[in-house]
Amino acid sequence: MPPFIFLRGANGLWTVDGGKCDSNPVHVLEQSANCKCMTFSEDGSLLSWCNADSIFLLDTKTMEVIHEVNLPKVVALKFSPRATVLACWSNYTVNREQGTGIPNLHLLDVKSWTIKKSLIQKKQIGWDPEWSWDEGICVRNVNNELHFYENNNFETIANKLHLQKVSAFSLALCKPPYVIATYVPGAKGQPSFARIYQYPNFSGPESMLANKSFFKADRVNFFWNKIGTCLLVLTSTESSDSSYYGEQALHFLSKKGESCFVPPQKSGPVYHVEWTPTNSEFIVIHGYMPAKTTIYNTKCNLEFWDMKNKKLIAKTQATDTTYLEWSPDGQHLLTATTAPRLRVGNGIRIWHYSGTLMLQHFIAGHSELWQACWQPTSQIQDFAINVKPVESVVEQPKAQAAAYRPPHARNQDAPRPAPAPLHEYEPPSNAKAKEGDKSVSKNKKKREARKAKAAQEEGTKPQEFASSLETPSSHSVDFNTTGIPEVDKKLRNLHKKVQQIQKLQEQQASGKEMEKNQLEKIQSLDSLLKEIKDLELGNC
């Protein structure tokens, strides 16, 4: 089966041959601009899409439409994990004559292509039901109550979980016993909270497996590991005092009852969260640009990795990328520029892992591209890695301009640049800088420059002021630590006060008129020096 790329946009729905890196359409499935969504089954054997009038089911092996049903104005689709049920959602409407709502959530039996159940789901946020891995249970949110169905029997509600004002949930895609996470937003100054339950144990004070409360959460996103033992909860606010775009925070919960806040390593938003295939670590991309990628373990501790034996294969630039995805063969990467994130320059690129650009295709007529993805497959084959660039007829991205070299050095052999590291360690943004760091020395120079400028304005010569910085004052105090934290803290504060008084004395000597409180500070110098001496000798 060729690795097709499916494209959906204003020109309809079509496929291109990603294996041959050919941009010519292979199959045109829809030619109208009314294709609002498309979705694959988990193994990629089935594809469903909709237009303004109908829903279609495609067999991707034969590329033939096997079913069609007249359900107009559908805007969202979702397959169950084993592709036995297709959920379809359209905007909620009311029958004006009867004054009742019209069912807008339809559950289709994929095999018979008949409607199993039609329900009312008013909001699009959280519209889709969630299934367990084996489809043993299915759950949906109905008016602050979670309804559970067993074995896709939607005629009978097998169980209910009632939580006042529950607004979000997530069912782990794992084998029995089933676990579910719930979120209830805070109200009237009370915190929000997320909880984990094990189905069907929902009653009693000990029914919760884990609980985590937090503030500043207008909405949440759940991230389960594949075995359903650990959960990450990403909280977001619409806006905040520090940022127009709001704030985000990450929290950890486990079935064992553990819960904690995941400490960020850099200030700024969280862009992506992903569990590793081992289910014991997770990766967070966060922080103001340039963003930082951090690996945590299940204790939420930052892990440092020895990358000595790793090699950087290639490095390239894919401008205006809004989406990227590895191909099923693991050797090619799809990057796309899509609307509505960017409405110009929409198109796709295919890259070989060696960094070679294999295909670059922009949508004709400057039309919009809404979605681009590889056809999923469960068959992934191993391959030997070859770091040599492969041949391509596509013009490769231009390299960055060479660094400037002065005229006298242009005919000399340029020194070879150091090999690019696979990752660079950046200390947390909230960590205190250490002496000797470039940032510390740079800031120190800035402070000294400001002091020199201030002294010059007051009539002191810069040379004299510079010498006064290098030569300690007669009243300067050496800060000797005692090893006792409480005493050292007090000594540090006293030392700061002495330094402040020394500055006032310098200003007084230059002829500056002192305020009453400044004169009182100068008069307290002797008592401060005596207190420091007593503390250092251990007399206090």
Side-chain angles (χ1 to χ4, degrees):
M1 179 179 65
F4 286 136
I5 296 176
F6 284 72
L7 306 173
R8 181 178 65 87
N11 295 334
L13 176 62
W14 71 101
T15 68
V16 298
D17 194 334
K20 296 180 180 179
C21 297
D22 189 351
S23 61
N24 294 318
V26 180
H27 302 92
V28 178
L29 305 175
E30 182 74 39
Q31 292 182 322
S32 71
N34 295 320
C35 184
K36 299 299 182 182
C37 61
M38 69 175 185
T39 185
F40 282 99
S41 61
E42 189 171 344
D43 60 0
S45 62
L46 297 174
L47 169 73
S48 180
W49 79 92
C50 63
N51 57 23
D53 302 317
S54 302
I55 300 175
F56 302 89
L57 185 66
L58 178 80
D59 185 340
T60 56
K61 294 181 180 179
T62 62
M63 296 303 293
E64 294 181 355
V65 175
I66 56 178
H67 289 299
E68 179 181 351
V69 63
N70 182 19
L71 278 177
K73 299 181 180 180
V74 170
V75 295
L77 297 168
K78 179 182 180 179
F79 277 105
S80 61
R82 295 193 173 185
T84 60
V85 177
L86 177 66
C88 318
W89 185 89
S90 58
N91 290 313
Y92 175 72
T93 57
V94 176
N95 189 319
R96 294 183 179 180
E97 296 180 356
Q98 300 178 359
T100 57
I102 301 175
N104 60 325
L105 173 59
H106 306 285
L107 302 174
L108 291 174
D109 186 289
V110 173
K111 187 175 182 180
S112 63
W113 206 241
T114 57
I115 297 178
K116 295 173 66 72
K117 188 70 174 180
S118 294
L119 304 163
I120 292 178
Q121 188 74 31
K122 295 182 179 180
K123 297 181 180 179
Q124 186 172 6
I125 298 176
W127 73 269
D128 52 321
E130 293 193 6
W131 283 268
S132 60
W133 171 80
D134 58 357
E135 298 188 11
I137 62 173
C138 176
V139 59
R140 60 185 292 260
N141 189 355
V142 184
N143 297 329
N144 300 325
E145 194 172 64
L146 301 183
H147 290 184
F148 292 82
Y149 306 90
E150 295 182 352
N151 301 317
N152 288 328
N153 178 13
F154 299 102
E155 298 297 333
T156 303
I157 300 175
N159 213 320
K160 294 182 180 180
L161 173 58
H162 179 74
L163 290 172
Q164 189 175 7
K165 296 183 179 180
V166 59
S167 64
F169 68 93
S170 179
L171 185 63
L173 280 171
C174 62
K175 299 178 181 179
Y178 308 119
V179 287
I180 186 171
T182 60
Y183 163 71
V184 175
K188 296 181 180 179
Q190 297 299 314
S192 307
F193 61 83
R195 293 174 179 172
I196 297 178
Y197 295 89
Q198 180 174 305
Y199 181 83
N201 303 323
F202 299 145
S203 59
E206 299 181 356
S207 60
M208 291 185 299
L209 298 182
N211 178 67
K212 183 70 175 70
S213 59
F214 37 77
F215 290 94
K216 297 183 179 181
D218 296 330
R219 61 184 184 277
V220 298
N221 293 95
F222 297 105
F223 301 90
W224 285 100
N225 63 357
K226 291 184 178 180
I227 56 177
T229 57
C230 299
L231 171 72
L232 295 171
V233 181
L234 177 62
T235 63
S236 305
T237 60
E238 297 295 340
S239 61
S240 68
D241 296 335
S242 59
S243 174
Y244 172 80
Y245 299 100
E247 296 181 11
Q248 293 177 301
L250 195 61
H251 305 269
F252 171 86
L253 295 90
S254 76
K255 288 175 57 176
K256 297 180 180 180
E258 302 167 327
S259 64
C260 67
F261 169 72
V262 180
Q265 299 301 308
K266 189 173 184 179
S267 301
V270 177
Y271 304 104
H272 189 70
V273 178
E274 190 78 27
W275 283 94
T276 61
T278 61
N279 299 302
S280 58
E281 295 91 19
F282 58 92
I283 297 174
V284 182
I285 303 176
H286 66 293
Y288 294 114
M289 292 298 179
K292 185 172 185 179
T293 301
T294 308
I295 300 176
Y296 296 84
N297 58 22
T298 52
K299 299 296 183 182
C300 294
N301 297 324
L302 170 63
E303 293 189 347
F304 296 91
W305 293 76
D306 180 10
M307 309 302 291
K308 181 178 180 181
N309 299 322
K310 306 293 183 181
K311 292 183 179 180
L312 180 64
I313 297 177
K315 186 176 181 180
T316 187
Q317 290 184 340
T319 58
D320 297 335
T321 296
T322 61
Y323 176 80
L324 61 87
E325 178 187 1
W326 277 105
S327 67
D329 64 4
Q331 301 184 47
H332 296 86
L333 186 71
L334 169 68
T335 62
T337 303
T338 58
R341 178 70 178 275
L342 290 174
R343 298 187 182 276
V344 295
N346 285 189
I348 62 171
R349 295 183 180 95
I350 299 179
W351 305 81
H352 187 260
Y353 66 81
S354 62
T356 305
L357 179 60
M358 306 300 296
L359 172 67
Q360 181 171 261
H361 171 64
F362 297 101
I363 304 301
H366 303 286
S367 187
E368 291 185 356
L369 177 67
W370 302 329
Q371 187 177 359
C373 62
W374 295 94
Q375 179 181 340
T377 179
S378 57
Q379 299 177 355
I380 301 177
Q381 298 179 352
D382 294 334
F383 61 92
I385 297 178
N386 184 4
V387 298
K388 295 182 179 180
V390 298
E391 295 183 0
S392 175
V393 296
V394 182
E395 182 180 357
Q396 300 301 306
K398 295 181 180 180
Q400 295 182 352
Y404 171 78
R405 302 187 69 195
H408 68 274
R410 289 177 183 174
N411 295 328
Q412 301 176 7
D413 293 335
R416 292 185 178 181
L422 188 58
H423 88 298
E424 297 177 356
Y425 171 69
E426 178 187 358
S429 59
N430 55 358
K432 293 183 178 179
K434 298 180 181 179
E435 290 293 336
D437 291 349
K438 292 182 179 179
S439 59
V440 175
S441 59
K442 186 177 180 180
N443 292 333
K444 185 177 181 181
K445 291 180 180 178
K446 290 182 179 179
R447 289 195 297 268
E448 291 179 355
R450 286 197 294 267
K451 292 178 180 178
K453 183 178 180 181
Q456 188 175 10
E457 293 176 352
E458 294 170 4
T460 305
K461 295 182 179 180
Q463 292 83 358
E464 296 176 356
F465 186 76
S467 62
S468 67
L469 291 176
E470 297 174 359
T471 305
S473 171
S474 59
H475 298 288
S476 63
V477 179
D478 293 331
F479 177 48
N480 299 321
T481 58
T482 64
I484 304 174
E486 294 80 3
V487 176
D488 289 344
K489 182 178 180 181
K490 191 172 183 180
L491 280 170
R492 189 179 296 108
N493 292 332
L494 291 172
H495 179 67
K496 290 181 179 178
K497 292 181 180 179
V498 170
Q499 297 297 330
Q500 292 173 359
I501 293 175
Q502 290 175 357
K503 292 180 182 179
L504 291 175
Q505 288 178 330
E506 292 173 356
Q507 295 175 4
Q508 189 181 35
S510 65
K512 184 178 179 180
E513 186 177 353
M514 295 285 103
E515 300 288 342
K516 182 179 179 181
N517 61 337
Q518 292 175 328
L519 293 173
E520 292 176 354
K521 285 184 179 181
I522 294 175
Q523 294 173 0
S524 66
L525 178 62
D526 292 337
S527 61
L528 291 175
L529 292 174
K530 184 179 183 303
E531 188 175 358
I532 290 175
K533 185 176 180 180
D534 292 341
L535 286 173
E536 289 180 342
L537 294 176
N539 295 331
C540 290

